[in-house]
Amino acid sequence: PDTFYYLRDSRGAEVDVLSTAYGDPWLLEIKASATFHPDFTRGLDIYAPHLPAGAKKYVVLGLGVGPGMFKDVNIVGYRHLPV
């Protein structure tokens, strides 16, 4: 079965969703925002090095912004998620 986790460390770094659904692990940071801000990737940057190569990273913006990239993070509106 697919499993979903919320991650948070003692310093407050967090990722909203970690899952292995659909194969490779993926991380989601979900924001109720129409615009992207680089700080949105903080938790992804902290946790991603602890995952296997091929882990996918997404920031999901709740107001439907179209797809884009920042560093190695996919920026998508919730309507554009690839799952």
Side-chain angles (χ1 to χ4, degrees):
D2 296 333
T3 305
F4 298 87
Y5 300 95
Y6 169 78
L7 303 174
R8 183 182 168 108
D9 69 15
S10 61
R11 296 169 299 194
E14 55 94 19
V15 170
D16 294 327
V17 178
L18 163 64
S19 181
T20 56
Y22 310 107
D24 291 330
W26 47 274
L27 297 167
L28 285 180
E29 185 62 34
I30 302 166
K31 299 294 183 187
S33 175
T35 57
F36 171 77
H37 191 278
D39 286 348
F40 292 171
T41 66
R42 179 177 173 259
L44 301 174
D45 294 338
I46 289 170
Y47 284 103
H50 303 285
L51 297 175
K56 297 169 180 64
K57 297 184 280 186
Y58 294 91
V59 170
V60 180
L61 301 177
L63 298 177
V65 174
M69 292 290 294
F70 176 76
K71 300 187 287 184
D72 61 342
V73 177
N74 296 283
I75 311 302
V76 297
Y78 73 95
R79 293 182 181 141
H80 301 282
L81 274 175
V83 292

